[in-house]
Amino acid sequence: MVRLVDNLIERVFPRLRRRPYFAYPIGIAIFAVAAMARMGLSRWLQDNVPFLTFFLAVLLAALIAGTGPALVVTGASLIFSWYFFLPGPGWTLDATTFVALASFTILSCLIVAVVHLLNRKVEGLMNERARNEALFQDSALGELQLEQLNIELRHRLKNTFAVIGGLVSQSARYSRDVDSFAQSLSGRLSAMGNAMDLIATRSFLGASLKELIAETLKPLVPPGAKRLDMGGPDTVIPGDVASALALTLHELGTNAIKYGAWSDKRGAVSVKWTLSKMDEDELSFELVWDERGGPRVSAPERRGLGTTLIDSGFPSAKVEREFNEEGVRCRIVAVLKQATTRRTRGRAPSLS
């Protein structure tokens, strides 16, 4: 019973009061019931207590329907009682009738004012409670998201340190001297750093494919017009794939600077990619790196770390490279998980 009363006062009545097309008919119905009750009690009540049922009607109308309907009930009750009971049937107005009507009006207005203040207080407390509940829920969700972010950060850091360790050891293994080791390692770490920056801006969910390709190649493109032509659709790719793709593109760009299209003033590189949906969270990804206008190239005589990163650094990707008179053409085909639909915990790029 207590729960029912609380529900009426806290939820049902405020909704009715905010809807005049419901509130005023309810107020009129309350007045009608009070009038019929007063007429039915006329056999037992003296005419000097004409407002007995109408005080209750004003109170109920103010509580249920609101201030406007309660004032309407007050006016209707005033006219009804004046006509039927003061001092008898008719519209006569003497001092006794005037005092009775004035007393009823004043008391009814006080009842309406008090209930109006109580209604506003109850609604204010309800709004405050709703705000506090919303803040509490936001706080709980924020803590949950922070915990997930910390878990993801720990995973990314562990994965990143594993990749860096592999890059350091393999770069040292394939480098001829300290200078070449430092130069190759710093470039690879810079590519990884750019990828991590892009991943971090999306709460470690992934990185924008278009931004990743542009930011990775931007430091490598030599000065001059039309040295790089790139284009393709955008999506968000998981962090492990972003790091691997950044390293692959960095190695392709570095090789283009050393031996390929960017090693002279005429060569250019075209980077184009396509995406096609396979199911709800998987995309078929194809990227073509095409060098034109540079010196004639041939397949490397020995397999270094750069070649390893290009051919097998991208997780579960198929990589095809062609060496011809026009330059290097590299085609990468892979299946990507969309990072916007779920977090992806992939393996680190293979360096062996």
Side-chain angles (χ1 to χ4, degrees):
M1 186 65 182
V2 174
R3 186 175 297 178
L4 175 62
V5 173
D6 288 343
N7 186 60
L8 289 174
I9 293 176
E10 295 177 1
R11 292 180 175 83
V12 178
F13 293 166
R15 292 175 185 171
L16 290 175
R17 291 194 292 268
R18 288 191 291 268
R19 293 172 172 82
Y21 45 85
F22 287 142
Y24 282 93
I26 289 173
I28 293 171
I30 292 173
F31 164 74
V33 172
M36 288 188 290
R38 181 62 185 84
M39 294 295 289
L41 294 173
S42 295
R43 295 173 54 187
W44 298 280
L45 295 177
Q46 298 291 330
D47 285 348
N48 56 4
V49 284
F51 306 111
L52 183 62
T53 60
F54 295 117
F55 280 119
L56 182 59
V58 171
L59 176 62
L60 290 175
L63 179 63
I64 299 173
T67 303
L71 292 176
V72 171
V73 171
T74 299
S77 301
L78 192 72
I79 295 172
F80 184 89
S81 299
W82 180 14
Y83 182 78
F84 286 102
F85 304 111
L86 293 174
W91 294 100
T92 58
L93 182 62
D94 55 21
T96 303
T97 301
F98 176 79
V99 171
L101 293 174
S103 300
F104 173 75
T105 302
I106 293 172
L107 290 175
S108 296
C109 288
L110 286 175
I111 291 173
V112 172
V114 171
V115 175
H116 173 75
L117 293 175
L118 290 175
N119 286 339
R120 291 189 60 182
K121 189 66 175 177
V122 169
E123 291 186 19
L125 291 173
M126 288 297 299
N127 292 334
E128 186 66 26
R129 187 173 74 179
R131 282 194 295 269
N132 290 336
E133 289 176 351
L135 288 173
F136 178 78
Q137 186 175 9
D138 289 343
S139 175
L141 289 175
E143 290 180 3
L144 180 60
Q145 291 173 350
L146 183 60
E147 172 125 4
Q148 292 175 342
L149 184 61
N150 287 334
I151 294 173
E152 187 70 25
L153 180 59
R154 287 196 296 271
H155 166 74
R156 293 297 170 200
L157 287 175
K158 186 184 298 184
N159 196 29
T160 301
F161 282 129
V163 175
I164 291 174
L167 286 175
V168 170
S169 62
Q170 297 293 346
S171 297
R173 175 183 171 188
Y174 287 103
S175 297
R176 295 184 299 273
D177 51 46
V178 175
D179 290 339
S180 62
F181 164 72
Q183 185 176 2
S184 61
L185 181 61
S186 64
R188 288 160 184 159
L189 292 181
S190 177
M192 281 194 62
N194 287 334
M196 287 299 295
D197 282 342
L198 294 175
I199 296 168
T201 59
R202 295 179 181 269
S203 300
F204 295 94
L205 281 174
S208 163
L209 176 60
K210 191 175 244 182
E211 289 181 5
L212 176 74
I213 296 173
E215 291 298 319
T216 302
L217 296 179
K218 183 168 64 175
L220 303 176
V221 180
K226 298 182 179 179
R227 301 303 299 272
L228 173 64
D229 179 26
M230 56 172 283
D234 197 16
T235 189
V236 177
I237 58 176
D240 58 318
V241 175
S243 298
L245 181 58
L247 286 173
T248 301
L249 292 173
H250 173 77
E251 295 305 322
L252 287 169
T254 301
N255 287 344
I257 292 174
K258 291 180 179 178
Y259 318 109
W262 286 342
S263 64
D264 59 22
K265 297 181 180 180
R266 299 180 298 106
V269 175
S270 170
V271 182
K272 302 289 183 181
W273 66 93
T274 59
L275 295 169
S276 58
K277 199 168 186 65
M278 299 179 64
D279 56 31
E280 288 187 0
D281 63 345
E282 287 189 347
L283 295 172
S284 175
F285 168 69
E286 179 178 347
L287 182 142
V288 177
W289 173 285
D290 203 3
E291 298 182 21
R292 291 288 183 271
R296 183 174 182 176
V297 295
S298 59
E301 296 179 358
R302 68 184 185 91
R303 186 177 178 85
L305 178 58
T307 302
T308 301
L309 287 173
I310 294 171
D311 291 342
S312 59
F314 199 141
S316 65
K318 179 182 178 182
V319 180
E320 300 174 353
R321 283 195 298 165
E322 300 175 7
F323 300 87
N324 48 55
E325 294 183 1
E326 291 293 325
V328 174
R329 187 176 190 272
C330 181
R331 178 172 172 264
I332 301 172
V333 179
V335 175
L336 302 182
K337 301 284 187 181
Q338 287 183 282
T340 50
T341 57
R342 68 184 182 188
R343 292 180 183 270
T344 305
R345 300 205 183 282
R347 63 177 176 84
S350 173
L351 299 175
S352 59

